[in-house]
Amino acid sequence: MKSLKYILLFIIISLNFSCEDFLVEDNKSNITAENYFSTSEGYQSLVNASYATLRNNFVDDPWLFCLGVDIYTRGKSVLIGGSYENRDVFSSELNEYGNLDAQNQYVSDFYYRCYQAIQTCNTAISRAKNVNGLNENKIKQLVAEVKFIRAYNYYLLVEQFGDVPLVKDEINGAITHFDRIPEEDIYKFIISELEESEVDVLATPEQFGKVTKGAVNSLLSLIYLTRGYKSYGSSSDFTMAASLADGVINSGKYALLNTFKEVFTPGNEKNNEIIFSIQYDAGSLGTSVRGNGQSVLFGWELWLYESGFDWLNTTYNNHEQQFMPTQFLYSLFDTSIDSRYDATFKSEFYATINDASKGINKGDLIVYFPKWDENFTAQDEIDLKAANPNVNIYKYDTWKQDFNNIGGAGKWPMVWKFFDPNADFHGNNNNRKGTRDIFMFRLSELYLIAAEAYHMSDDDSKAAERINTVRRRAAIPGNQSAIEITSADVDLDFILDERARELTGEYKRWFDLKRTGKLIERTLLHNNLAKMEDKMTTTHILRPIPQSVIDHDSGEFPQNLGYK
């Protein structure tokens, strides 16, 4: 933790980050940070730097969000420059849990980036009192926006690590010891922070992507929902979570789009369903800032494993196998009535180049995945191959890893709802070019948060109503009645299943399973690699404190139980 003293320097040199056009890089020479941040322009750049830290939570891959859960598992690690760079080791520790320890680099990176973000926010909050050129209400608004970002980072930390240091002030000198504060107190701070934020942020943003009352209340609803499950929580937390979620739903500021597919149409990131998103506008990336890599995940390299595809093609771009859906995820969709299956996954791939040696012409169907619940008969296969002689057909039982004696094809219907047709080619893990935003909160999730809160308040009738609003929108036309559920269908497992269908790939799953107490049970049931290793214990409800944090602390900084 001693290294936190360097964060202020990082802030000063990293102001080229921006959210959409909130900030245009402007190299200020011959001016001190103290003077610059007291100007309206300089202070706005500090607020923008706080927004930019939201990108850092996902700057690499979402290791701590998506591995070691029921609906995603570990695929093949990607070679970069001929090396795995321990990617295979660290990812297996997070997915299978057995060898997870305090040396895991991805855990350490996550921890430090959250505190880096917090210290950026602390600096913006502490310097607000000295700003010239902005009126009092504007300063209060900007501080409130930053408090939302700080609260979100503390939510990430407290759920991943439990008791953590509570750092609320800008650090300008060396601090060699931090106390771990009980997570109950961290939750009290988060709630207080968000309640203060809600007063001064705007209901309607000046620019899309800025924090609003809807965003604050969405996060606050999630916080109350999460605290309700804790030993120090209470039933009133669930009541508050439901009330806050319904408040956002009924605010008139947001609306579900007509179809699920429309929400993820490229170029439609600024739509009425989005409550808050992390911005990746192309104009803000420049040459040094990495873009969104969400479109790379949950796929595999067509050009490497199939004929008829060129490496640098932008028709499909590049995809990596590091993260892959479990077979269980596909099985959650009734494809005869639920439009989200086809809107989420891509099941057909066509040649992007001619390959005379294989008799392949550009445009030929090369890869086909029948739907998991489709009655795809032997005759169907004969007919498809007759019409498409170069097609390779991969059925549901093969949608598994092709290593560790799993016996799968190492190929599966790719998650495609994040595909970015305007992104430059993704070369490898260090070359992410995506410009689509990451949706942090959208309205359909608020319906599901409300449903979960009502269920935990023993009101499954209201829970079913909220879930049915989401499901009716998801229905294939003509199936709105067939897709509806009754209150008798509602339990935690159904709610988690519905969240999987609606939120596939949206960086929420580990937190969902942790919150509901289902992490161990559902991961061991549905994550084949974790099940094979079978070493998950209650220790793994928290991550290990990075060893470097313990080593750099001059006092006692205890490790989480069960970790060495």
Side-chain angles (χ1 to χ4, degrees):
M1 295 294 296
K2 186 190 296 186
S3 61
L4 279 176
K5 67 181 180 178
Y6 299 112
I7 292 176
L8 181 58
L9 294 177
F10 174 86
I11 296 167
I12 295 170
I13 66 174
S14 65
L15 292 179
N16 58 317
F17 285 108
S18 62
C19 298
E20 204 178 49
D21 60 349
F22 300 169
L23 175 66
V24 177
E25 181 176 1
D26 187 8
N27 182 25
K28 299 290 183 181
S29 58
N30 300 319
I31 186 170
T32 67
E34 297 288 340
N35 291 334
Y36 182 54
F37 292 146
S38 67
T39 67
S40 60
E41 179 186 8
Y43 187 70
Q44 183 67 66
S45 73
L46 191 52
V47 172
N48 294 339
S50 300
Y51 272 95
T53 64
L54 291 169
R55 290 175 175 172
N56 292 346
N57 294 320
F58 313 103
V59 70
D60 288 323
D61 286 326
W63 309 105
L64 276 67
F65 295 81
C66 295
L67 284 181
V69 296
D70 56 344
I71 61 174
Y72 320 121
T73 186
R74 178 172 61 90
K76 281 183 179 176
S77 294
V78 178
L79 284 169
I80 299 178
S83 170
Y84 288 119
E85 299 177 343
N86 285 322
R87 194 173 289 102
D88 51 340
V89 174
F90 296 144
S91 63
S92 65
E93 291 175 358
L94 289 167
N95 188 69
E96 287 104 275
Y97 291 95
N99 297 312
L100 180 60
D101 61 26
Q103 304 291 345
N104 188 285
Q105 186 65 51
Y106 301 148
V107 173
S108 178
D109 288 346
F110 181 89
Y111 187 94
Y112 280 109
R113 282 173 182 149
C114 284
Y115 276 109
Q116 173 185 302
I118 287 166
Q119 183 57 11
T120 305
C121 294
N122 289 345
T123 303
I125 293 167
S126 72
R127 297 191 180 220
K129 60 183 178 293
N130 297 319
V131 176
N132 301 308
L134 293 174
N135 65 51
E136 183 180 355
N137 287 338
K138 182 63 176 179
I139 293 173
K140 285 182 178 180
Q141 175 198 328
L142 294 175
V143 168
E145 292 172 14
V146 171
K147 285 188 172 184
F148 168 89
I149 298 168
R150 182 167 70 172
Y152 175 66
N153 277 279
Y154 272 116
Y155 161 69
L156 298 180
L157 284 165
V158 74
E159 281 301 284
Q160 292 281 350
F161 298 99
D163 301 349
V164 292
L166 180 57
V167 184
K168 297 185 287 185
D169 300 317
E170 177 184 355
I171 296 175
N172 290 308
I175 298 178
T176 62
H177 173 67
F178 291 86
D179 291 317
R180 294 187 67 180
I181 304 302
E183 66 172 60
E184 179 177 3
D185 293 330
I186 301 295
Y187 266 95
K188 288 178 181 177
F189 173 75
I190 292 171
I191 289 171
S192 173
E193 191 90 329
L194 291 173
E195 288 176 342
E196 291 176 8
S197 175
E198 198 274 341
V199 172
D200 291 315
V201 296
L202 300 179
T204 302
E206 298 165 320
Q207 291 174 281
F208 189 88
K210 301 283 268 184
V211 174
T212 61
K213 292 185 185 297
V216 173
N217 286 324
S218 295
L219 180 54
L220 193 54
S221 175
L222 177 61
I223 296 301
Y224 274 112
L225 178 66
T226 305
R227 192 174 73 167
Y229 289 93
K230 309 285 188 182
S231 61
Y232 48 83
S234 68
S235 60
S236 64
D237 288 325
F238 295 123
T239 302
M240 183 63 76
S243 176
L244 285 163
D246 278 349
V248 176
I249 292 167
N250 297 321
S251 68
K253 296 291 184 180
Y254 313 99
L256 294 180
L257 300 192
N258 290 330
T259 67
F260 177 84
K261 183 178 181 179
E262 187 180 350
V263 179
F264 296 95
T265 300
N268 194 35
E269 286 80 19
K270 299 178 182 179
N271 67 66
N272 290 335
E273 189 165 327
I274 307 308
I275 299 169
F276 185 71
S277 57
I278 301 171
Q279 304 291 290
Y280 283 89
D281 181 82
S284 72
L285 297 182
T287 58
S288 61
V289 182
R290 289 175 60 185
N292 178 8
Q294 202 168 20
S295 64
V296 178
L297 307 178
F298 310 110
W300 46 279
E301 298 96 328
L302 283 162
W303 61 273
L304 188 60
Y305 297 105
E306 295 283 348
S307 300
F309 298 95
D310 54 324
W311 179 43
L312 294 175
N313 84 83
T314 54
T315 302
Y316 299 118
N317 214 303
N318 195 24
H319 299 271
E320 295 174 358
Q321 296 172 273
Q322 187 71 67
F323 298 80
M324 63 177 291
T326 61
Q327 289 178 295
F328 173 64
L329 175 58
Y330 299 105
S331 75
L332 293 174
F333 295 83
D334 182 343
T335 67
S336 67
I337 61 174
D338 196 331
S339 70
R340 291 175 295 192
Y341 185 90
D342 284 330
T344 299
F345 304 109
K346 190 168 186 63
S347 300
E348 301 178 6
F349 296 89
Y350 296 84
T352 58
I353 56 172
N354 299 322
D355 187 343
S357 67
K358 301 290 179 61
I360 293 173
N361 294 313
K362 182 177 180 180
D364 287 352
L365 178 62
I366 302 297
V367 177
Y368 181 74
F369 298 95
K371 290 183 173 63
W372 81 273
D373 57 352
E374 177 182 354
N375 183 24
F376 190 78
T377 66
Q379 187 59 53
D380 291 330
E381 184 168 350
I382 291 170
D383 292 344
L384 185 64
K385 287 185 175 180
N388 303 276
N390 292 308
V391 70
N392 293 312
I393 300 170
Y394 301 97
K395 298 181 182 178
Y396 175 68
D397 62 335
T398 71
W399 302 353
K400 299 178 289 188
Q401 297 93 337
D402 56 354
F403 57 85
N404 284 19
N405 297 314
I406 300 295
K411 302 169 186 177
W412 53 85
M414 300 190 202
V415 173
W416 210 254
K417 69 183 192 182
F418 308 115
F419 181 68
D420 187 350
N422 298 315
D424 292 339
F425 185 79
H426 297 283
N428 56 36
N429 194 50
N430 296 315
N431 189 25
R432 297 293 165 79
K433 300 292 186 179
T435 60
R436 295 184 62 174
D437 301 336
I438 294 176
F439 297 153
M440 189 164 154
F441 286 109
R442 53 190 183 88
L443 188 61
S444 62
E445 185 185 5
L446 269 292
Y447 280 97
L448 298 180
I449 288 175
E452 186 178 331
Y454 280 122
H455 169 66
M456 295 304 296
S457 301
D458 297 320
D459 192 343
D460 285 341
S461 178
K462 284 186 178 178
E465 288 176 10
R466 302 303 184 274
I467 292 170
N468 279 332
T469 300
V470 175
R471 288 178 66 81
R472 281 191 294 269
R473 192 272 292 272
I476 294 172
N479 291 279
Q480 280 77 8
S481 296
I483 206 170
E484 288 185 345
I485 64 167
T486 68
S487 59
D489 297 311
V490 178
D491 59 21
L492 270 184
D493 284 310
F494 187 90
I495 290 169
L496 287 169
D497 291 350
E498 193 63 33
R499 286 184 67 87
R501 287 182 282 263
E502 182 69 20
L503 302 169
T504 294
E506 294 184 49
Y507 300 167
K508 299 175 184 289
R509 194 60 176 183
W510 192 91
F511 292 86
D512 291 346
L513 297 185
K514 159 77 183 293
R515 176 181 69 250
T516 55
K518 294 282 189 175
L519 179 63
I520 296 174
E521 173 192 338
R522 288 179 65 114
T523 301
L524 290 179
L525 275 174
H526 304 300
N527 184 317
N528 58 353
L529 294 178
K531 183 177 182 179
M532 286 174 61
E533 189 156 323
D534 195 21
K535 291 184 179 179
M536 282 190 78
T537 70
T538 54
T539 292
H540 301 118
I541 298 301
L542 296 175
R543 311 296 192 178
I545 299 296
Q547 190 59 45
S548 59
V549 171
I550 296 171
D551 292 344
H552 290 151
D553 197 282
S554 63
E556 290 293 323
F557 200 97
Q559 179 58 272
N560 281 329
L561 292 176
Y563 292 109
K564 297 178 181 179

